[in-house]
Amino acid sequence: MALKTLSTFLTPLPLQNPKSRTLILFQFPKSRSLKARLSAEPDGTGAAAPSPGERFLEHHHVAEAAKLIIKENKKNRNKKNKEKPLKASRNVASCYGCGAPLQTSDEEAPGYVNLETYELKKKHRQLRTVLCGRCRLLSHGKMITAVGGHGGYNGGKLFVTAEELREKLSHLRHEKALIVKLVDIVDFNGSFLSRVRDLAGANPIILVVTKIDLLPRDTDLNCVGDWIVEAITRKKLNVLSVHLTSSKSLVGVTGVISEIQKEKKGRDVYILGSANVGKSAFINALLKTMAINDPVAASAQKYKPIQSAVPGTTLGPIPINAFLGGGKLYDTPGVHLHHRQTAVVHSEDLPSLAPQSRLRGQSFPSFQVRSDNVEEGSSKVNGLNAFSIFWGGLVRIDVLKVLPETSLTFYGPNRLPIHVVPTEAADEFYQKELGVLLTPPSGKENVENWKGLDSQRKLQIKFEDVARPACDVAISGLGWFSVDPISRSFKISEPKKIETAGELLLSVHVPKPVEIFVRSPLPVGKAGAEWYHYRDLTEKEEAIRPKWYF
């Protein structure tokens, strides 16, 4: 007999008279031991054992409960994965010049406004028309940095990290928007934002190449446009179209406006790019061009973003009412990259890294250096072998092995001096002239805190055709130099048989975080159109390649 609970046996029996009840206890015979009962009856048997139907129902209920738990966990997991980052609130009043939230407590911090001015503007609901104190100083040429952290800048007070600025753009990949991505032609590789899809998501992208007006004179932009399309095809970045523009001369801006109006479809338009790529200048050029036929853009010109040579001028998204058909134009904080030269120099030296006028290639050697060893009435060319070239205090190139006729042509900021010294004396020259002839860094304090050129990369450059440059070596955040196995002056003056294939060896020294890119030569100047060859495309390549406009 199976065991029954005590409560079963203590249940009172109902009597005929409800007022008088008697508790009757039953006495059972002495039961066997537990061991005996277990040996006599197997588990799950006996009078109290669940029936097969009860077992089925119990199993069914357990399975259903497990399914509900699994479904709920999966739902919570998907909800967590799809949780969108919070978008910057549009209700917080911000400076229209830099996007920093307005505040009245810290006079040196971005967004500062005098308390009386703030209260007055707030009373009249005009906070959207307020320019903060930092922006006023930036508009007068002051160099006030505000961004620190990974990719930030040295010198001055740092009020926000580069990571925090990037986080302000994280909501873009979850929204339906049109992305206008800017790239600086002078620093094409360093400013490209190789992982732009992490920010833009699946949104369509229009690629805009800025500062085209800085390229050397007589540059064939047909060759440059084809070179850019080749470069982004290799990077596997799918874009709607490519536009070559100049915010200063407004060249190419009309084409970008037409593309935006065609692809916008009521969505917001975000101008995206690395720090100091020229986003604010490009937006001002857009508004100026659109204002001719669009009264909304004309009114938006009154309160436009501040332009400055300081990377990190824009500290928050700046919404601009620029379109008649709905949707806003957003100026966004620049994405700060730690591998650019602008991230390692002091804030005082930042202007020297920004080209102010058209680039002019400086070739070395500028004339053929010939040795004193004369054999059979002819001279022997030494060239650049065993020489070192300093590009300011930021780059050092040791020429290990090149053809005697090899030349290096530098394209970058005109303020950076270039010096050539024998390699055996290069270390002593650098220590002696750093901050004097070799700038930046400039200033005694900045020179003392300078960490030096502690990153070295040896380049083995192969070439097959001496009629064209072997490659470009681009220094992130600065510019590039072209490696030409046979200098143009030598081709004209020495029409003799030369080597048609070989290898060049260079050693390039830069500050540790700065990156070096070896790329196919950019066809600039009149000579670029002569040696550049267009690659024949298949029908499939022609169909997937983006069109470029100028």
Side-chain angles (χ1 to χ4, degrees):
M1 177 179 177
L3 294 175
K4 293 186 179 290
T5 60
L6 183 61
S7 61
T8 303
F9 306 119
L10 294 181
T11 303
L13 297 174
L15 301 177
Q16 295 297 328
N17 186 1
K19 295 182 179 180
S20 60
R21 294 188 178 186
T22 305
L23 180 65
I24 300 175
L25 297 178
F26 293 92
Q27 184 176 4
F28 293 94
K30 189 175 181 180
S31 62
R32 293 172 296 177
S33 66
L34 178 62
K35 183 176 182 181
R37 291 197 305 272
L38 291 177
S39 60
E41 297 178 355
D43 292 339
T45 61
S51 65
E54 290 174 335
R55 286 198 182 101
F56 173 79
L57 288 176
E58 183 181 2
H59 177 76
H60 178 72
H61 291 158
V62 170
E64 289 298 321
K67 288 181 180 179
L68 288 176
I69 293 174
I70 293 173
K71 184 177 180 180
E72 188 67 22
N73 290 340
K74 186 176 181 180
K75 182 179 178 181
N76 294 336
R77 186 166 57 251
N78 292 338
K79 183 178 179 181
K80 184 177 180 181
N81 293 337
K82 292 182 179 179
E83 186 176 352
K84 296 182 180 180
L86 293 176
K87 189 175 181 178
S89 175
R90 299 181 184 180
N91 297 323
V92 178
S94 301
C95 169
Y96 73 81
C98 67
L102 297 179
Q103 51 90 16
T104 59
S105 57
D106 190 347
E107 187 173 354
E108 296 183 358
Y112 175 78
V113 183
N114 180 274
L115 181 60
E116 295 180 1
T117 303
Y118 181 86
E119 294 295 340
L120 181 63
K121 293 291 185 180
K122 183 179 180 180
K123 180 179 179 181
H124 294 283
R125 298 182 180 180
Q126 296 177 341
L127 288 177
R128 302 290 181 182
T129 66
V130 175
L131 191 68
C132 73
R134 174 177 177 266
C135 285
R136 294 183 185 277
L137 294 175
L138 289 173
S139 64
H140 288 84
K142 300 291 185 179
M143 305 300 292
I144 307 174
T145 57
V147 182
H150 196 63
Y153 304 98
N154 298 317
K157 290 189 175 181
L158 307 177
F159 298 97
V160 63
T161 65
E163 292 81 0
E164 290 172 340
L165 284 186
R166 191 180 183 100
E167 187 63 27
K168 292 183 179 181
L169 302 174
S170 60
H171 66 90
L172 276 180
R173 61 179 176 267
H174 302 291
E175 294 189 9
K176 291 184 178 180
L178 177 62
I179 308 298
V180 179
K181 169 182 161 63
L182 267 59
V183 181
D184 184 352
I185 188 62
V186 180
D187 185 27
F188 184 84
N189 297 83
S191 65
F192 195 83
L193 294 184
S194 58
R195 299 180 63 183
V196 67
R197 283 295 177 187
D198 291 349
L199 296 175
N203 289 313
I205 296 176
I206 299 173
L207 183 69
V208 174
V209 182
T210 62
K211 305 180 184 179
I212 288 295
D213 58 306
L214 294 179
L215 292 178
R217 294 186 184 277
D218 300 323
T219 296
D220 188 341
L221 293 179
N222 289 308
C223 299
V224 173
D226 189 69
W227 182 91
I228 292 171
V229 172
E230 284 285 338
I232 66 172
T233 302
R234 285 193 295 269
K235 292 178 180 291
K236 298 181 180 180
L237 178 64
N238 185 22
V239 299
L240 296 175
S241 58
V242 179
H243 298 261
L244 278 59
T245 67
S246 167
S247 301
K248 185 177 181 180
S249 63
L250 303 183
V251 170
V253 175
T254 304
V256 180
I257 295 172
S258 299
E259 189 75 5
I260 289 176
Q261 296 290 4
K262 175 184 174 183
E263 301 292 342
K264 185 168 69 69
K265 300 175 183 177
R267 296 174 291 191
D268 291 335
V269 179
Y270 286 82
I271 309 299
L272 197 66
S274 63
N276 212 33
V277 78
K279 294 184 298 299
S280 298
F282 176 73
I283 287 177
N284 292 339
L286 276 182
L287 296 177
K288 185 175 181 180
T289 306
M290 293 169 61
I292 300 174
N293 300 315
D294 190 343
V296 176
S299 62
Q301 277 193 290
K302 188 175 182 181
Y303 305 108
K304 55 189 179 182
I306 289 294
Q307 295 178 229
S308 170
V310 177
T313 299
T314 304
L315 299 176
I318 304 176
I320 304 170
N321 294 316
F323 305 112
L324 273 173
K328 290 188 177 183
L329 179 68
Y330 280 86
D331 188 6
T332 62
V335 179
H336 290 70
L337 305 173
H338 72 287
H339 59 72
R340 303 179 74 192
Q341 288 279 11
T342 49
V344 299
V345 302
H346 194 273
S347 58
E348 297 175 357
D349 293 322
L350 288 175
S352 64
L353 302 185
Q356 301 297 324
S357 58
R358 191 180 293 273
L359 301 179
R360 291 178 295 178
Q362 301 183 61
S363 296
F364 294 89
S366 55
F367 58 89
Q368 294 299 325
V369 181
R370 299 182 180 275
S371 68
D372 296 332
N373 299 327
V374 179
E375 298 178 2
E376 298 180 359
S378 63
S379 60
K380 182 180 178 181
V381 178
N382 283 336
L384 292 173
N385 282 296
F387 277 88
S388 294
I389 302 176
F390 288 96
W391 199 358
L394 304 177
V395 183
R396 168 182 167 180
I397 302 108
D398 294 335
V399 183
L400 304 180
K401 174 190 173 185
V402 295
L403 298 180
E405 304 85 6
T406 299
S407 70
L408 306 183
T409 305
F410 290 78
Y411 299 92
N414 298 328
R415 298 185 187 182
L416 259 65
I418 300 178
H419 297 276
V420 183
V421 298
T423 301
E424 59 183 11
D427 291 335
E428 181 182 354
F429 178 79
Y430 187 75
Q431 294 176 1
K432 180 180 178 182
E433 300 297 341
L434 184 64
V436 184
L437 291 178
L438 303 178
T439 58
S442 59
K444 182 178 179 181
E445 183 178 352
N446 296 337
V447 171
E448 291 177 354
N449 296 329
W450 183 247
K451 296 181 180 180
L453 309 178
D454 49 4
S455 179
Q456 178 183 359
R457 180 178 174 184
K458 292 187 177 181
L459 306 179
Q460 295 182 339
I461 302 170
K462 296 183 179 181
F463 66 93
E464 297 179 355
D465 186 0
V466 296
R468 55 174 291 164
C471 68
D472 285 347
V473 179
I475 310 298
S476 182
L478 185 62
W480 78 95
F481 63 89
S482 176
V483 182
D484 198 337
I486 305 296
S487 68
R488 186 166 180 79
S489 60
F490 187 84
K491 295 171 189 174
I492 298 173
S493 60
E494 301 285 344
K496 65 178 183 179
K497 185 176 180 180
I498 51 182
E499 296 185 42
T500 58
E503 187 177 68
L504 312 177
L505 298 179
L506 303 176
S507 179
V508 183
H509 305 254
V510 292
K512 193 168 186 178
V514 176
E515 285 193 15
I516 301 168
F517 302 93
V518 179
R519 69 188 189 193
S520 60
L522 178 63
V524 296
K526 187 177 180 180
E530 296 176 359
W531 57 255
Y532 186 76
H533 298 291
Y534 294 94
R535 188 170 65 87
D536 293 331
L537 302 176
T538 63
E539 293 184 1
K540 183 177 180 180
E541 289 176 327
E542 188 69 33
I544 63 175
R545 275 170 58 105
K547 305 297 182 183
W548 69 269
Y549 302 92
F550 171 69

